């Protein structure tokens, strides 16, 4: 039976990581599902769904030699997940300002209380070493509407953080 | 009253440049009726292009009037539409009946002026903004063999970062 696994790989960035990892999986008979692969702070991070007929240990034996060669830490988990299970976000929130400790925690706590289910979040630090800027980009489903998110973030906004909340008006055409 | 089957990517007919309508006759009018029924049969159907049902002629129907609080021109049958002016741009999220189970961010003009024949053969001009303008651009793209997949922008970083192109040794994945 086909089973889905989540494979996580993290390590220093170097050329050819994606090609080598995906080739090894393909040659072992895996199919890829949803994935994210990106560079974070000089590291390369991979999270991928792979379907595979065999057991978790067998898949580990497929991926471990490649991970070792590329000096990546590797983790394989059986998951209950499946494809075609997308959640359509209805709100995008972008936040930026001077880098402040705790900003992600306070923003996401307020948003969670106001009914936001985050489907995607990425954040980055830009600017310079002396005056870093924090930038965060969130997409999610506002269960209680956008107004309640705006109210929730009002106090944070008053602290000099720029916050934009806009609906995502997805159309199917 | 018929509903026509919507063709799905990778059907080749979605990649064709459709041909202009030369004469509005009974055949075309009855096709337009079926095309509109097909659009309205889709949940949330607000736009459709003739090639999406395998008929590669330059006909588009849009009707965004069900969406509250937006500017729109009502129900429109656009025959041989030409966009004559583009203004501004905005990132919006789109999906497509011909590409099920995927939505993505696309940059479109915020405001357009277009001319098209209506069902009586009269050439009319329209000004469209926001949501309606995005839908019209998506549908008219279909007439030129383009899908929103051809215009996807990255979900990450598309809002803040100016792209800085620097060749780098780790760029060759
Ligand atoms: Zn479409």
């Amino acid at each position: 039976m086909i089973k889905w696994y989540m494979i996580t790989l993290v390590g220093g960035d170097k050329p050819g990581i994606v090609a080598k990892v995906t080739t090894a999986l393909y040659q072992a008979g895996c199919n890829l599902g949803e994935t994210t692969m990106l560079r974070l702070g000089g590291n390369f991070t991979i999270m991928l769904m792979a379907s595979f007929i065999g057991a978790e240990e067998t898949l580990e034996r497929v991926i471990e030699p490649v991970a070792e060669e590329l000096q990546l830490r590797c983790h394989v988990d059986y998951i209950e997940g499946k494809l075609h299970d997308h959640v359509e976000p209805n709100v995008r929130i972008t936040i930026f300002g001077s880098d402040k400790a705790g900003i992600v925690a306070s923003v996401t706590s307020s948003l969670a209380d106001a009914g936001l289910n985050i489907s995607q979040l990425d954040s980055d630090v830009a600017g310079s070493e002396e005056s870093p800027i924090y930038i965060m980009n969130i997409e999610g489903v506002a269960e209680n509407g956008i107004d309640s998110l705006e109210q929730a973030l009002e106090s944070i906004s008053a602290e000099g953080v720029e916050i934009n909340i806009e609906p995502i008006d997805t159309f199917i055409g | 009253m018929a509903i026509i089957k919507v063709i799905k990517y990778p059907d080749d007919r979605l990649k064709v440049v459709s041909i202009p309508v030369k004469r509005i006759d009974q055949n075309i009018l009855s096709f337009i009726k079926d095309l509109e029924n097909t659009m309205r049969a889709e949940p949330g159907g607000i736009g459709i292009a003739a090639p999406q049902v395998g008929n590669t002629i330059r006909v588009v129907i849009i009707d965004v009037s069900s969406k509250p609080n937006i500017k729109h021109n009502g129900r429109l049958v656009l025959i041989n539409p030409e966009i004559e002016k583009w203004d501004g741009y905005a990132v919006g999220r789109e999906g497509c009946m011909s590409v099920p189970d995927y939505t993505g961010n696309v940059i479109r003009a915020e405001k357009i002026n277009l001319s098209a024949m209506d069902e009586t053969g009269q050439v009319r001009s329209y000004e469209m903004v926001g949501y309606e303008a995005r839908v019209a651009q998506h549908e008219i793209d279909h007439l030129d063999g383009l899908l929103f997949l051809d215009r996807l922008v990255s979900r990450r970083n598309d809002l803040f970062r100016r792209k800085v192109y620097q060749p780098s040794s780790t760029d060759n994945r």
Side-chain angles (χ1 to χ4, degrees):
Chain A
M1 205 190 76
I2 298 272
K3 288 170 276 187
W4 283 102
Y5 293 93
M6 190 68 77
I7 303 176
T8 316
L9 292 146
V10 184
D13 192 15
K14 53 183 78 64
I17 290 178
V18 174
K20 282 182 180 143
V21 167
T22 54
T23 301
L25 291 172
Y26 171 67
Q27 285 170 349
C30 285
N31 273 313
L32 300 192
E34 298 166 25
T35 75
T36 73
M37 311 193 193
L38 74 166
R39 191 181 145 99
L40 295 176
N43 283 254
F44 200 69
T45 68
I46 296 179
M47 258 180 289
L48 62 83
M49 280 171 74
S51 68
F52 186 62
I53 283 178
E56 197 169 296
E57 303 78 57
T58 320
L59 185 55
E60 275 167 359
R61 280 200 293 277
V62 167
I63 198 76
E64 263 160 16
V66 194
E68 205 157 294
E69 182 202 331
L70 295 163
Q71 293 171 289
L72 301 172
R73 288 162 58 100
C74 170
H75 196 82
V76 178
D77 276 314
Y78 170 74
I79 55 168
E80 288 290 344
K82 58 182 195 291
L83 295 179
H84 310 294
D85 190 20
H86 295 125
V87 171
E88 206 45 63
N90 63 10
V91 64
R92 179 186 298 124
I93 303 155
T94 53
I95 295 169
F96 61 99
S98 315
D99 195 11
K100 279 202 188 87
I103 184 172
V104 179
S106 69
V107 165
T108 53
S109 302
S110 302
L111 290 172
D113 291 345
L116 181 73
N117 273 328
I118 294 176
S119 51
Q120 178 171 330
L121 182 153
D122 56 73
S123 65
D124 209 336
V125 181
S128 60
E129 297 251 348
E130 308 82 62
S131 57
I133 306 165
Y134 197 82
I135 297 162
M136 183 157 47
N137 187 8
I138 301 174
E139 288 181 359
V141 180
E143 306 280 4
N144 308 330
I146 288 182
D147 290 350
S148 65
L149 302 185
E150 273 167 359
Q151 281 162 22
L153 292 183
E154 241 164 46
S155 60
I156 296 166
S157 175
E159 291 166 32
V161 180
E162 311 284 334
I163 299 176
N164 287 305
I165 302 180
E166 56 180 60
I168 300 178
D169 286 329
T170 306
F171 68 80
I172 310 295
Chain B
M1 291 255 290
I3 288 169
I4 320 170
K5 193 172 181 292
V6 173
I7 60 173
K8 309 278 157 73
Y9 182 82
D11 193 304
D12 284 341
R13 288 168 289 178
L14 292 167
K15 289 272 143 197
V16 168
V17 176
S18 292
I19 52 167
V21 172
K22 288 209 185 71
R23 211 160 52 87
I24 297 172
D25 55 18
Q26 217 38 55
N27 278 341
I28 288 276
L29 289 174
S30 100
F31 168 71
I32 286 171
K33 223 172 232 140
D34 293 344
L35 187 65
E36 181 166 3
N37 287 333
T38 307
M39 174 184 95
R40 298 203 185 275
E42 289 283 326
I46 40 80
I48 195 167
Q52 286 183 280
V53 296
N55 190 354
T56 52
I57 58 172
R58 300 186 80 81
V59 174
V60 156
I61 302 174
I62 66 175
D63 184 356
V64 299
S65 59
S66 60
K67 193 171 169 60
N69 306 323
I70 58 162
K71 275 194 177 171
H72 64 78
N73 292 280
R75 171 194 172 275
L76 298 176
V77 174
L78 305 173
I79 302 168
N80 303 339
E82 296 282 351
I83 300 179
E84 288 159 344
K85 210 170 149 225
W86 290 261
D87 255 321
Y89 66 88
V91 177
R93 204 179 185 91
E94 301 181 11
C96 181
M97 286 183 254
S98 302
V99 187
D101 194 39
Y102 187 80
T103 62
N105 291 334
V106 177
I107 294 176
R108 301 284 188 191
E110 177 64 25
K111 184 179 152 193
I112 56 172
N113 292 75
L114 68 83
S115 68
M117 260 193 305
D118 66 13
E119 296 153 283
T120 69
Q122 196 189 338
V123 177
R124 304 167 71 113
S125 297
Y126 305 94
E127 185 176 287
M128 299 183 180
V129 294
Y131 193 76
E132 185 182 42
R134 287 167 50 206
V135 173
Q137 289 168 83
H138 176 113
E139 301 309 342
I140 291 171
D141 261 0
H142 276 302
L143 305 184
D144 294 322
L146 290 170
L147 297 170
F148 78 106
L149 299 177
D150 292 303
R151 298 192 188 274
L152 285 181
V153 295
S154 151
R155 292 193 192 183
R156 198 175 146 82
N157 292 347
D158 54 340
L159 296 166
F160 292 100
R161 279 266 176 85
R162 269 184 304 151
K163 283 233 164 78
V164 181
Y165 291 100
Q166 273 174 344
S168 128
S169 63
T170 55
D171 250 9
N172 54 352
R173 70 179 73 89

